[in-house]
Amino acid sequence: MVPNLGSQMEAECLLRELGINTLPIDPFVVADLLDIDLRPLPASNGGVSGMLLHVNGEFGIAYPTHIKNEGFKRFSLAHEIGHYRLPGHIDAVLDANGQHISKAGFRSTDRYEQEADHFASALLMPKKLFIAAMRSAGDGLQAIETLQEKCETSLESTAIRYVQTSRNPVVVIRSGDRAIDYAVMSDRFKEFPGLDWIRKGMPLPPSSITASFNANRDNITRGKRVEGEGCLQDWFNGPHRQEIIEEVVGLGSYGKTLTVLTGMEHPDEVEDDETELVESWDVRFRR
């Protein structure tokens, strides 16, 4: 997911306008300050993650209750606030009855849904505050969980934001059973030459820790986790035979798995290390 700068700027502009500048950002407070009426969706509306409503000149948002996950609820609400706030969205997404329904767990290719997702991410995890929190959060899955707690967001949305703002090579992958749903790569990782990018629907590498983890459905539904060493080539092919750290965690009843790949060295850094080693040997042997 490539950050949409326009949506991000709109979210951060709204926070400045409302005078909100500390984590966590509470979207319920934001909606209240915008005079948006809030109502819980019945738990029976299982596939709906949120609704934006316009009735008699008043706006309202219905937020989900079927998934017992506060981070999911907050992101869904922030997403609908994005539809309310982003230029052109109200005219584009509301139907003839003044309603817009968002579907849970669906990575839409629709422009307006993507923009609302980017808005929600920037609203709940504004870049300046998020980067400041990253400095003391650690690395990999530990950092993501620390930031999740700080921002009161879902693990998945926090992981995506972490990758988007990281200066290190890092990749986050969501999968289900044997197939990959998506991969998000940091800008530093995208600089690696000669790699094959992961695409939706691709099978998990058979030798990966994630493939073994997903083979037992109980690992996913019970939110288990595992960590070990993997190989960069197993995931991305290419010329870089590097050992990597592969951390895997099940996302519970959602039925998905989150994988975090870290520990990669940029090829330029590897070459610099090798050059320094050769030069040190050369100096030593000439004595």
Side-chain angles (χ1 to χ4, degrees):
M1 181 186 289
V2 179
N4 183 290
L5 296 180
S7 298
Q8 179 173 292
M9 290 176 62
E10 286 288 342
E12 294 183 353
C13 179
L14 174 59
L15 292 175
R16 288 194 299 271
E17 178 184 314
L18 299 177
I20 299 174
N21 55 15
T22 58
L23 296 174
I25 309 297
D26 189 340
F28 287 86
V29 171
V30 173
D32 184 60
L33 291 172
L34 293 173
D35 293 324
I36 299 174
D37 186 45
L38 297 179
R39 300 289 174 88
L41 277 166
S44 57
N45 290 37
V48 178
S49 63
M51 293 179 64
L52 178 66
L53 308 166
H54 186 219
V55 181
N56 297 325
E58 301 292 331
F59 282 94
I61 291 176
Y63 57 87
T65 60
H66 65 286
I67 294 181
K68 303 304 179 183
N69 183 308
E70 284 300 310
F72 174 80
K73 182 190 299 183
R74 291 160 68 92
F75 191 90
S76 299
L77 176 52
H79 176 100
E80 300 307 324
I81 294 173
H83 283 315
Y84 170 81
R85 182 73 179 190
L86 288 166
H89 275 233
I90 290 174
D91 292 336
V93 304
L94 292 181
D95 62 19
N97 297 316
Q99 298 182 1
H100 169 71
I101 298 174
S102 296
K103 299 292 185 179
F106 179 66
R107 277 175 67 86
S108 175
T109 57
D110 179 84
R111 165 198 161 189
Y112 295 102
E113 297 306 313
Q114 289 184 346
E115 288 180 354
D117 274 346
H118 290 299
F119 178 95
S121 178
L123 185 74
L124 300 177
M125 297 169 280
K127 189 172 183 180
K128 184 176 180 180
L129 298 178
F130 193 79
I131 289 176
M134 283 177 67
R135 296 191 185 107
S136 59
D139 297 304
L141 184 56
Q142 174 193 332
I144 293 167
E145 290 177 326
T146 299
L147 293 164
Q148 174 195 15
E149 183 177 352
K150 181 80 172 177
C151 299
E152 297 184 10
T153 43
S154 70
L155 187 67
E156 185 176 357
S157 63
T158 310
I160 292 172
R161 191 63 164 158
Y162 174 77
V163 172
Q164 290 173 344
T165 53
S166 178
R167 295 181 179 179
N168 298 319
V170 57
V171 180
V172 164
I173 299 157
R174 196 188 76 186
S175 63
D177 296 325
R178 301 177 183 177
I180 293 169
D181 293 334
Y182 65 81
V184 184
M185 300 166 284
S186 67
D187 289 340
R188 186 63 170 160
F189 183 81
K190 291 176 184 177
E191 296 174 356
F192 282 47
L195 299 183
D196 295 335
W197 298 138
I198 291 175
R199 292 178 175 81
K200 180 180 179 180
M202 291 177 61
L204 289 165
S207 59
S208 67
I209 296 170
T210 305
S212 299
F213 182 90
N214 283 9
N216 184 346
R217 186 72 176 176
D218 191 54
N219 289 337
I220 301 173
T221 57
R222 295 183 63 181
K224 293 184 178 180
R225 63 182 61 211
V226 66
E227 174 185 344
E229 291 185 349
C231 180
L232 182 62
Q233 273 189 330
D234 289 345
W235 287 95
F236 293 93
N237 296 319
H240 313 293
R241 288 203 60 83
Q242 289 192 36
E243 286 188 349
I244 59 176
I245 299 171
E246 183 176 343
E247 298 174 284
V248 189
V249 59
L251 297 179
S253 60
Y254 188 32
K256 300 293 183 179
T257 296
L258 202 66
T259 300
V260 183
L261 305 180
T262 56
M264 293 87 80
E265 282 193 88
H266 193 280
D268 291 345
E269 295 172 354
V270 174
E271 291 174 5
D272 289 343
D273 291 342
E274 292 174 349
T275 300
E276 289 176 6
L277 184 59
V278 170
E279 289 176 350
S280 69
W281 282 346
D282 187 47
V283 170
R284 178 181 176 185
F285 292 144
R286 287 188 181 196
R287 289 177 180 174

